[in-house]
């Protein structure tokens, strides 16, 4: 029986890790995150961002809690170490070696898929993990014509011995592509029907969080959560909910500058936000306006405490990155509560 | 998203090119022939080109790195301490390349801690240090930079992507004297 109800895809950047580190234990118990390993923030000693630093942070947050580990293939977050992990030679030997380094932690490895469906390197990798009794994960972008041949090949090797998490990743969802993405996912799900079993867990993921809120209003606005709508349309097909934990696919780490302070509050199928420039009241005014909004229903979790502190001009952080953490944490908590309530 | 559309064969198998390479200059020529950046020399790309698998990972204490032949895969593996400064990593990589080019016929395991120790008496370590210096700071390029650009150690170090200590030692080898050059 799968006890997880929520599978957020999360890059291992500072804001994201901070958000996860503040999850209440009873919420975290239902989350199986899919981490996209990114290089760490540059510093004098490691100008190219040592990925082991990220892994230490990640393992420190998770301890024995399991997580799925993937690697980021976004050029902005890659370095030579990450490129090595994608080298197919000898059954993805470098990926195996890296995973072995963190053998003390409960990591579910992502299978790196190759264009050649019957790649011997992929087979060798899967077999290497099966000998360690590892569950496995595989993630498909929707642009693949058919995921069935891949799943057929992988499940044939796994042969029901371990769990396989299959992630159908719609990536960035917009009002324009949402219907098309849903149709494509339905096609994939129909093809995967014959592989259904207790050990096959199919997750549908995507994010509609925009890169900028410019189109939604200056001082306040509502942003739809299309991934929630997508899931609600598909849940009868026996899929699990995944998303990007309210992060835009192309979001880059903001280092200050001309950003406008904003606090985002997740509701079931939309966010509402309050946004005031620094000279117009900044985070304190955002928080005051959030509290005045009748849709705001605090439940004593970390984001609620941070909003109260900000309202009283005692904010713990005034960087966009900090408030992204707050939003993410809030969003992830609400997704678990939504799943549990239905 | 780890969906690999094509296997990257760009740097695959350069035959046994390393067996014809004996000196830092021959290695630089080899790099040039394969369009690798020469100044500062891209030692990581050069390592890959020689089919050596390089891993950057935290190593114990003062360990800089090591080079060994994996008995299972028969591959040469270079471990570099990911917690060290990039310039120090570059020197370590160049040092291990020195072992690979000059000593891999006699030995298949090299472990390296702190370089530039005054009392270094192990001949193969001395050779690997000299190899690294010459590879990262070729004589002609070094002299040309000092003559035409700067004699300040920190600026020379920045240009070659090495530490100030490595510049001073190379300068001594080339007969320069004084605090700056």
């Amino acid at each position: 029986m799968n006890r997880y109800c929520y599978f957020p895809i999360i890059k291992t950047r500072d804001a994201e890790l901070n958000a996860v580190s503040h999850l209440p234990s009873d919420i975290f118990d239902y989350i199986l995150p899919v981490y996209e390993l990114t290089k760490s923030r540059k510093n004098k000693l490691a100008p190219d961002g040592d990925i082991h630093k990220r892994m230490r942070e990640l393992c420190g947050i998770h301890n024995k809690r399991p997580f799925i580990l993937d690697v980021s293939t976004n050029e902005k977050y890659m370095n030579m170490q990450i490129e090595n992990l994608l080298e197919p030679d000898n059954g993805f030997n470098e990926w195996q070696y890296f995973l072995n380094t963190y053998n003390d932690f409960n990591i579910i490895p992502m299978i790196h898929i190759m264009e050649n469906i019957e790649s011997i390197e992929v087979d060798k990798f899967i077999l290497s993990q099966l000998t360690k009794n590892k569950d496995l994960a595989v993630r498909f972008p929707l642009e693949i014509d058919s995921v069935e041949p891949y799943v057929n090949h992988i499940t044939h090797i796994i042969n029901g011995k371990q769990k396989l998490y299959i992630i159908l990743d719609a990536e960035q969802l917009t009002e324009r592509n949402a219907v098309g993405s849903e149709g494509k996912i339905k096609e994939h799900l129909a093809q995967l029907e014959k592989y259904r079993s207790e050990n096959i867990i199919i997750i549908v993921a995507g994010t509609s969080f925009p890169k900028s809120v410019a189109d939604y209003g200056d001082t306040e606005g509502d942003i739809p959560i299309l991934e929630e709508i997508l899931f609600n349309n598909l849940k009868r097909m026996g899929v699990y909910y995944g998303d990007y934990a309210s992060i835009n696919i192309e979001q880059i780490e903001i280092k200050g500058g001309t950003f406008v302070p904003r606090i985002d509050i997740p509701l079931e199928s939309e966010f509402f936000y309050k946004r005031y420039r620094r000279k117009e009241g900044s985070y304190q005014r955002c928080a005051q306006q959030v509290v005045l909004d009748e849709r705001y229903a605090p439940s004593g979790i970390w984001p609620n405490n941070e909003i109260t502190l900000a309202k009283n001009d005692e904010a713990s952080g005034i960087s966009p990155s900090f408030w992204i953490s707050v939003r993410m944490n809030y969003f992830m908590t609400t997704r678990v509560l939504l799943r549990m309530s239905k | 998203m780890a969906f690999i559309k094509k296997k990257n064969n760009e740097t695959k198998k350069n035959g046994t090119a390393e067996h014809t390479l004996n000196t830092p200059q021959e290695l630089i020529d080899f790099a040039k022939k394969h369009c690798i950046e020469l100044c500062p020399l891209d030692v990581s790309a050069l390592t890959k080109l020689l089919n050596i698998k390089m891993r950057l990972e935290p190593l114990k204490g003062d360990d800089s790195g090591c080079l060994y032949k994996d008995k299972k895969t028969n591959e040469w593996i270079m471990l570099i301490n990911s917690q060290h400064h990039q310039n120090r990593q570059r020197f370590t990589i160049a040092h291990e390349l020195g072992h690979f080019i000059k000593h891999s016929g006699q030995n298949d395991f090299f472990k390296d801690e702190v370089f530039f120790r005054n009392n270094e008496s192990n001949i193969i370590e001395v050779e690997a240090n000299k190899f690294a210096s010459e590879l990262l700071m070729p004589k002609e390029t070094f002299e040309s930079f000092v003559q035409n650009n700067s004699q300040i150690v920190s600026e020379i170090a920045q240009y070659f992507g090495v530490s100030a200590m490595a510049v001073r030692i190379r300068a001594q080898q080339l007969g320069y004297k004084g605090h700056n050059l």
Side-chain angles (χ1 to χ4, degrees):
Chain A
M1 181 65 191
N2 176 51
R3 72 181 164 109
Y4 302 105
C5 63
Y6 179 31
F7 301 83
I9 299 170
I10 300 172
K11 285 195 169 62
T12 59
R13 298 178 294 199
D14 295 347
E16 281 88 334
L17 294 186
N18 189 33
V20 176
S21 72
H22 282 93
L23 282 169
S25 180
D26 56 341
I27 294 290
F28 208 169
D29 287 345
Y30 295 100
I31 303 177
L32 183 63
V34 181
Y35 288 107
E36 276 188 0
L37 185 61
T38 59
K39 62 183 181 181
S40 64
R41 205 178 257 277
K42 291 177 184 178
N43 63 35
K44 203 177 167 186
L45 264 181
D48 203 21
D50 184 9
I51 56 172
H52 292 280
K53 184 171 176 284
R54 281 298 188 218
M55 283 304 290
R56 283 196 295 275
E57 291 167 350
L58 194 53
C59 292
I61 292 168
H62 269 263
N63 202 0
K64 292 292 175 190
R65 283 182 196 278
F67 59 90
I68 296 172
L69 189 64
D70 195 357
V71 293
S72 174
T73 51
N74 181 326
E75 278 181 18
K76 284 187 206 114
Y77 298 111
M78 288 179 81
N79 62 8
M80 199 197 72
Q81 291 173 305
I82 291 181
E83 282 169 22
N84 273 349
L85 302 182
L86 294 168
E87 281 288 332
D89 296 359
N90 299 316
F92 289 88
N93 189 49
E94 292 304 296
W95 185 220
Q96 286 187 44
Y97 175 87
F98 184 81
L99 293 164
N100 284 344
T101 310
Y102 295 95
N103 225 3
D104 289 344
F105 298 92
N106 203 343
I107 298 176
I108 299 167
M110 187 65 77
I111 301 168
H112 299 335
I113 292 294
M114 296 184 66
E115 208 167 28
N116 170 14
I117 295 165
E118 295 185 0
S119 160
I120 185 90
E121 308 302 352
V122 175
D123 297 1
K124 278 192 207 164
F125 175 78
I126 296 171
L127 288 169
S128 75
Q129 300 307 301
L130 291 180
T131 60
K132 298 185 174 84
N133 299 321
K134 288 271 189 189
D135 291 337
L136 288 156
V138 62
R139 182 173 163 199
F140 298 105
L142 291 192
E143 69 196 41
I144 293 182
D145 285 340
S146 174
V147 302
E148 193 270 340
Y150 292 98
V151 172
N152 179 36
H153 188 72
I154 294 167
T155 51
H156 189 71
I157 301 171
I158 294 179
N159 199 18
K161 287 176 196 139
Q162 297 292 141
K163 276 200 176 91
L164 176 67
Y165 295 89
I166 300 171
I167 303 162
L168 300 176
D169 187 358
E171 301 179 74
Q172 192 69 44
L173 290 163
T174 62
E175 302 275 6
R176 285 174 65 183
N177 73 11
V179 173
S181 297
E182 186 181 320
K184 189 77 189 167
I185 291 169
K186 280 179 176 163
E187 279 175 30
H188 289 319
L189 289 174
Q191 290 174 2
L192 297 183
E193 198 50 45
K194 60 184 168 196
Y195 300 98
R196 294 279 187 176
S197 79
E198 201 178 307
N199 276 348
I200 302 282
I201 291 134
I202 302 179
I203 298 144
V204 172
T207 180
S208 57
F209 204 86
K211 209 168 168 183
S212 138
V213 298
D215 294 340
Y216 299 92
D218 187 36
T219 57
E220 61 179 13
D222 297 344
I223 303 167
I225 301 173
L226 299 179
E227 53 272 39
E228 185 69 33
I229 298 164
L230 176 71
F231 174 72
N232 283 327
N233 292 344
L234 295 170
K235 64 185 175 190
R236 282 192 191 84
M237 300 180 82
V239 295
Y240 285 84
Y241 175 81
D243 61 27
Y244 279 74
S246 81
I247 298 294
N248 180 278
I249 294 276
E250 293 170 24
Q251 180 80 55
I252 50 163
E253 283 189 305
I254 304 165
K255 291 169 185 157
T258 55
F259 70 94
V260 179
R262 193 183 81 226
I263 296 180
D264 308 311
I265 305 297
L267 304 172
E268 180 168 341
S269 299
E270 63 188 8
F271 285 93
F272 74 83
Y273 66 84
K274 307 292 176 184
R275 179 174 179 265
Y276 292 95
R277 287 168 181 79
R278 273 169 279 190
K279 60 185 176 189
E280 293 166 346
S282 195
Y283 284 109
Q284 184 180 17
R285 189 162 173 210
C286 295
Q288 287 166 347
Q289 293 303 311
V290 162
V291 172
L292 287 174
D293 194 306
E294 60 184 18
R295 293 172 291 177
Y296 179 60
S299 56
I301 56 174
W302 177 62
N304 300 136
N305 298 338
E306 291 303 332
I307 288 164
T308 304
L309 287 170
K311 179 174 81 81
N312 298 330
D313 200 17
E314 294 167 353
S316 312
I318 53 161
S319 68
S321 161
F322 175 79
W323 286 96
I324 287 172
S325 299
V326 173
R327 179 187 76 223
M328 268 189 75
N329 181 287
Y330 208 158
F331 181 77
M332 289 193 284
T333 305
T334 59
R335 292 318 98 178
V336 170
L337 294 174
L338 275 169
R339 303 287 83 82
M340 300 300 285
S341 70
K342 291 178 182 175
Chain B
M1 174 132 16
F3 184 84
I4 300 167
K5 292 193 174 169
K6 272 184 188 166
K7 184 168 175 175
N8 182 3
N9 280 318
E10 179 190 342
T11 59
K12 285 286 153 206
K13 312 303 172 202
N14 284 291
T16 50
E18 63 270 26
H19 297 313
T20 63
L21 303 168
N22 293 305
T23 65
Q25 189 53 52
E26 284 171 3
L27 200 48
I28 290 167
D29 292 341
F30 180 67
K32 194 174 176 182
K33 191 177 146 196
H34 289 86
C35 303
I36 285 176
E37 194 176 329
L38 295 181
C39 211
L41 180 65
D42 187 344
V43 281
S44 301
L46 189 51
T47 303
K48 202 170 179 183
L49 194 63
L50 292 167
N51 296 320
I52 302 169
K53 192 73 81 183
M54 181 161 70
R55 291 174 182 151
L56 283 157
E57 60 185 52
L59 301 179
K60 279 179 200 160
D62 235 349
D63 287 2
S64 295
C66 69
L67 178 77
Y68 65 94
K69 196 169 193 176
D70 187 312
K71 290 195 171 72
K72 210 165 120 191
T73 63
N74 238 13
E75 277 182 316
W76 281 95
I77 310 282
M78 188 188 286
L79 293 187
I80 302 296
N81 195 333
S82 64
Q83 293 169 313
H84 283 174
H85 189 281
Q86 194 180 28
N87 288 347
R88 185 166 171 188
Q89 289 176 351
R90 282 172 47 74
F91 195 89
T92 306
I93 296 166
H95 177 100
E96 303 305 347
L97 286 177
H99 283 316
F100 180 72
I101 296 292
K102 297 188 84 73
H103 312 124
S104 59
Q106 308 138 37
N107 208 340
D108 56 13
F109 182 79
F110 307 91
K111 186 181 175 191
D112 297 293
E113 294 179 354
V114 184
F115 301 124
F116 309 132
R117 283 177 302 199
N118 292 331
N119 59 351
E120 183 63 79
S121 58
N122 183 333
I123 184 73
I124 69 164
E125 292 308 321
V126 171
E127 273 184 3
N129 273 345
K130 187 164 175 287
F131 189 97
S133 277
E134 291 173 17
L135 183 66
L136 294 170
M137 296 168 279
K139 182 173 184 281
E140 282 179 16
T141 321
F142 190 93
E143 288 175 345
S144 164
F145 187 81
V146 170
Q147 195 177 344
N148 302 317
N149 299 81
S150 174
Q151 297 173 356
I152 299 167
V153 168
S154 60
E155 290 179 2
I156 302 168
Q158 192 181 5
Y159 181 73
F160 289 102
V162 296
S163 67
M165 173 71 99
V167 169
R168 288 186 195 289
I169 289 171
R170 183 68 176 134
Q172 274 177 14
Q173 288 170 350
L174 294 172
Y176 290 92
K177 284 174 186 162
H179 182 68
N180 280 315
L181 312 183

